[in-house]
Amino acid sequence: MKNFKAKIITAKQNVMEKTAKRENTLEPDEMKELEKKTTETKEFLRKLTKSVEKETLSSGVSIQDGTELADNFLDYSVHVRDNQSDLVILSGILSKIGEFQAGFEDLKSKLNSSLINDVSDPLKSIIKTELKQAKESKREYDRVRVAFDAHLSELSNLRKQKNVKPPKIQESEEECERLRTNFERVGIDTTCLLRDTNVITEFETVEKLCDYLDSYHTFFQKGYRWLAQMIPDIYEYRLYVEKRKAELEKSKVRISMMVSPQKQQAESLSKTKCFGEDLSVLLNREGSTLPWFIVRAFQAIRNHIATEEGLFRLSGTKRIIYEYKQKIDEGKEYNLSEILDIHVVCNLVKLYLRELQPEPLLTYSRYNELIDTCNIEDQNQRVDKISKILSSLPKHYYTLLHHLIHLLSQIASQPKSKMGPANLATVIGPNILICQTDVVLEDIALGNMVVTTIIQNFDRIFGGPPLLQQSVPDTYVAPPNNTRNNSVNNFNNVQPPPPSSFSASTSRSINLNKSTNNSNINHDNNNNNNNNNNNNNINNPDDDEPYDPNAPPIYSGVPMRGNIKHSDSCSTLGDSFDEGDAVELSD
């Protein structure tokens, strides 16, 4: 009966508080503030987890559409491979894009799973555990508080009533004291629990939000790594398109020439061609140790070294570049000094190096040797190894390389150019150090490191500056072919690589004018001694590396057509979506 009456009193007190007929005076302000903060945190976390789940569901629909797109790319690739065997490049790029799209959708799927498993579910667990426990503790506190408040009111009413026996009042006071002790204990426990819950919820929420960023970091990092592997392929595909466009234009010209008796002009073009021409043939035709175009281009670039920024890095106007390329190849009059934009000349030089025949400047056979020098830890040993490899180059290749690296070292020494050895290696390296097989992304960086070392150690590797060619007039017209044949002997006087005992200091001490005069005297003396060996030297500049005219065309070092073996997917791109590739944000 007593317990029932106490419950009636407590229920009455609770109803009065909820209907605002009685103010809650026992609950401290700190308790009210902690409860408010806990309630708001729970509400916001519930909204946040709901939004994350909604976003992943929406992304799931996008993943289905992207997967269908990837399948269409791959189906088209297989169709082209099976039915149009001559379109190898189209089949390959379709396959690569299909694989990329499928991998990208797989990454999105993994991102959604990570957002659910690492962010949304843990936050929901916080709501269902810590926050729920704090809420239940607060309910227990309110129950004890209301019961204590009700007995206080009952004791106050007993004291006001008359004819109430003292034992009854004393019993009520003892009950109130018991409730007071329980109320204070529960209040302390609840306050501590609410305070701890808010703190724990805060740092756990921060941790889960960091996991949210980690998920996106992994997503973008893996996607970027796969794209980075495709960059060399994209470059080769674009170069292939440019080559095919050029071939199409040439075929149009040939067709138009068949209508009229202008076939002789096509034959004369082969006698004046500079870009894409065999270097030994070009030097033999011009009777020089260095192509006249290169001599004039280097002279023009040297005039801007001290004033121009970004040489060989900035692009010139494409239309002007190809206009001058056509003029030079056709043997027409051209003047490089009249070009206002020196970057056009730099682009012409890079284009010449890229199209050099029959091999790139550092040759295919020495590619692996040069790349392997990056494994040599000792700097001096690495430079000596590179010097030994370069000294084995054919004479005409070595001479051109000597002049090129001399120019690059001059540019790198000028702060105004903002082109250090590493920057120059990045833009020049892919044009002179080229792999004959598939391009590997890591080898590009290693190749640039090799070219950087060559530029930085120019004096040590080459023994000093080259003997500069005599200046040519600003306006140059290719000489007739019959006059060039009279100068065949000049080609045999190509400057050989410096001996290993030749020191840089000795070379630098030589006066340039005296060296030029001495070279002219030696030139006249050597002409008589070398007449019997002209044909052999000219036709066989490098007997160890014969040039196969039937080999498939090579674009920047990579065969774009020919007997290429393909997998079922028509792609050479490996799987880049390895979980171990990801780097956590905390790293």
Side-chain angles (χ1 to χ4, degrees):
M1 187 65 182
K2 184 185 296 185
N3 291 336
F4 179 75
K5 186 177 181 181
K7 290 180 179 180
I8 294 296
I9 296 173
T10 301
K12 180 179 178 182
Q13 179 71 17
N14 197 14
V15 170
M16 292 177 66
E17 282 189 5
K18 290 183 177 180
T19 57
K21 292 183 178 181
R22 183 176 177 84
E23 185 179 359
N24 179 9
T25 58
L26 297 179
E27 184 175 348
D29 294 337
E30 182 185 7
M31 178 77 72
K32 295 178 181 179
E33 188 65 27
L34 289 173
E35 181 188 17
K36 179 182 178 183
K37 186 176 181 180
T38 302
T39 303
E40 292 175 349
T41 300
K42 181 179 180 180
E43 184 64 24
F44 278 110
L45 288 181
R46 184 181 286 111
K47 290 181 179 179
L48 182 61
T49 53
K50 185 177 180 180
S51 298
V52 170
E53 293 173 350
K54 184 178 179 180
E55 171 63 21
T56 54
L57 289 175
S58 176
S59 180
V61 177
S62 174
I63 291 173
Q64 293 178 355
D65 295 337
T67 303
E68 181 180 355
L69 176 61
D71 293 338
N72 290 333
F73 276 122
L74 295 174
D75 291 342
Y76 188 13
S77 172
V78 173
H79 172 77
V80 172
R81 183 197 63 191
D82 294 340
N83 299 281
Q84 301 175 0
S85 58
D86 58 325
L87 301 181
V88 177
I89 301 301
L90 177 60
S91 176
I93 192 172
L94 284 170
S95 177
K96 289 181 184 294
I97 294 178
E99 289 179 358
F100 169 77
Q101 188 68 39
F104 180 70
E105 302 306 327
D106 181 64
L107 272 183
K108 289 165 63 176
S109 177
K110 291 180 179 178
L111 173 64
N112 289 344
S113 299
S114 178
L115 294 179
I116 293 297
N117 298 331
D118 299 337
V119 180
S120 179
D121 289 345
L123 291 179
K124 291 170 67 175
S125 177
I126 293 174
I127 296 173
K128 295 178 180 179
T129 55
E130 282 88 356
L131 294 178
K132 182 178 180 181
Q133 183 179 359
K135 196 68 176 178
E136 291 175 352
S137 178
K138 182 59 172 59
R139 289 197 190 98
E140 176 63 19
Y141 169 81
D142 288 338
R143 186 186 64 78
V144 173
R145 177 185 55 79
V146 170
F148 174 58
D149 196 9
H151 278 80
L152 284 178
S153 299
E154 181 66 17
L155 178 59
S156 177
N157 293 332
L158 286 176
R159 288 173 177 173
K160 293 178 182 179
Q161 293 178 6
K162 298 178 179 180
N163 301 324
V164 177
K165 296 180 180 181
K168 188 175 183 180
I169 296 177
Q170 183 179 0
E171 182 182 356
S172 181
E173 288 176 348
E174 291 175 355
E175 180 65 18
C176 284
E177 187 63 25
R178 184 186 65 79
L179 292 175
R180 179 192 301 275
T181 302
N182 187 40
F183 168 71
E184 292 175 351
R185 179 185 59 79
V186 174
I188 294 174
D189 294 340
T190 303
T191 301
C192 293
L193 180 60
L194 288 175
R195 188 184 296 113
D196 293 342
T197 299
N198 286 326
V199 173
I200 293 173
T201 301
E202 178 189 6
F203 70 69
E204 287 190 355
T205 302
V206 171
E207 183 180 20
K208 295 306 144 189
L209 293 179
C210 288
D211 292 340
Y212 179 89
L213 294 178
D214 274 342
S215 299
Y216 274 98
H217 176 253
T218 302
F219 170 79
F220 286 113
Q221 185 184 54
K222 288 185 176 180
Y224 172 78
R225 286 184 176 179
W226 201 355
L227 275 176
Q229 291 186 2
M230 296 181 66
I231 289 176
D233 296 312
I234 295 173
Y235 173 80
E236 296 300 331
Y237 289 140
R238 291 191 182 278
L239 185 60
Y240 167 78
V241 171
E242 293 297 330
K243 291 287 185 181
R244 292 304 303 272
K245 287 182 179 179
E247 291 172 2
L248 180 60
E249 291 298 326
K250 289 180 181 179
S251 65
K252 291 180 179 179
V253 172
R254 286 196 295 268
I255 292 175
S256 63
M257 292 176 64
M258 292 174 61
V259 180
S260 60
Q262 298 178 350
K263 189 175 181 179
Q264 296 179 354
Q265 295 183 3
E267 295 177 354
S268 64
L269 179 61
S270 64
K271 299 177 181 180
T272 59
K273 183 180 179 183
C274 176
F275 291 82
E277 180 65 285
D278 189 307
L279 181 58
S280 61
V281 174
L282 178 61
L283 295 177
N284 178 30
R285 189 170 66 220
E286 294 184 349
S288 172
T289 60
L290 200 66
W292 283 117
F293 158 71
I294 290 295
V295 175
R296 300 179 66 236
F298 284 8
Q299 288 176 353
I301 294 172
R302 281 192 178 92
N303 294 334
H304 293 79
I305 287 178
T307 58
E308 195 67 30
E309 178 181 325
L311 292 174
F312 289 107
R313 174 173 58 83
L314 300 179
S315 300
T317 304
K318 189 175 181 180
R319 176 184 58 81
I320 300 177
I321 293 172
Y322 282 96
E323 284 180 359
Y324 272 86
K325 177 180 181 294
Q326 185 176 4
K327 282 184 180 181
I328 297 169
D329 275 343
E330 293 177 355
K332 295 181 180 179
E333 179 178 336
Y334 67 95
N335 185 0
L336 296 181
S337 63
E338 71 182 7
I339 301 178
L340 299 179
D341 185 4
I342 190 61
H343 302 293
V344 171
V345 181
C346 294
N347 279 261
L348 284 170
V349 172
K350 289 198 296 184
L351 183 61
Y352 174 81
L353 295 173
R354 186 162 61 246
E355 296 183 357
L356 187 64
Q357 292 295 331
E359 290 187 287
L361 189 55
L362 294 178
T363 71
Y364 296 128
S365 61
R366 294 163 180 84
Y367 177 85
N368 290 331
E369 292 184 72
L370 290 170
I371 293 297
D372 290 341
T373 60
C374 296
N375 297 325
I376 303 176
E377 296 182 359
D378 185 78
Q379 174 73 11
N380 294 328
Q381 294 180 5
R382 182 164 63 252
V383 174
D384 291 341
K385 181 63 176 178
I386 292 176
S387 178
K388 182 178 179 181
I389 296 172
L390 297 185
S391 65
S392 67
L393 287 169
K395 292 181 179 180
H396 50 303
Y397 271 49
Y398 184 91
T399 301
L400 177 55
L401 178 66
H402 192 179
H403 284 266
L404 173 64
I405 301 301
H406 179 230
L407 175 65
L408 298 181
S409 65
Q410 289 178 317
I411 296 175
S413 64
Q414 292 292 335
K416 176 67 177 178
S417 69
K418 295 185 179 180
M419 292 295 292
N423 291 338
L424 289 169
T426 301
V427 294
I428 295 295
N431 299 295
I432 63 175
L433 183 58
I434 302 172
C435 181
Q436 193 170 12
T437 57
D438 292 338
V439 178
V440 180
L441 184 62
E442 290 78 6
D443 284 358
I444 295 177
L446 296 177
N448 293 342
M449 187 186 303
V450 172
V451 178
T452 301
T453 303
I454 296 175
I455 298 173
Q456 290 174 335
N457 298 273
F458 167 75
D459 286 334
R460 180 173 175 182
I461 293 175
F462 294 95
L467 297 177
L468 299 180
Q469 293 274 11
Q470 292 182 354
S471 300
V472 295
D474 289 339
T475 304
Y476 174 74
V477 182
N481 191 51
N482 56 357
T483 62
R484 295 180 196 135
N485 292 334
N486 296 331
S487 304
V488 149
N489 293 335
N490 292 335
F491 175 66
N492 291 300
N493 293 323
V494 177
Q495 181 70 18
S500 58
S501 60
F502 187 80
S503 64
S505 60
T506 303
S507 175
R508 285 192 294 269
S509 64
I510 297 176
N511 181 274
L512 183 60
N513 293 329
K514 293 181 179 180
S515 299
T516 305
N517 294 334
N518 292 335
S519 65
N520 292 334
I521 295 172
N522 293 332
H523 168 74
D524 296 335
N525 294 334
N526 291 334
N527 278 341
N528 296 327
N529 297 329
N530 295 329
N531 284 336
N532 296 329
N533 300 323
N534 282 342
N535 295 331
N536 293 335
N537 293 337
I538 294 172
N539 296 329
N540 300 293
D542 188 3
D543 293 337
D544 295 335
E545 300 174 12
Y547 171 58
D548 183 7
N550 297 323
I554 295 177
Y555 301 113
S556 203
V558 178
M560 303 305 291
R561 286 183 178 274
N563 298 327
I564 304 175
K565 296 182 180 180
H566 294 275
S567 63
D568 294 338
S569 63
C570 300
S571 173
T572 59
L573 185 64
D575 184 13
S576 301
F577 292 90
D578 185 3
E579 291 293 340
D581 289 342
V583 178
E584 295 298 330
L585 191 62
S586 58
D587 290 341

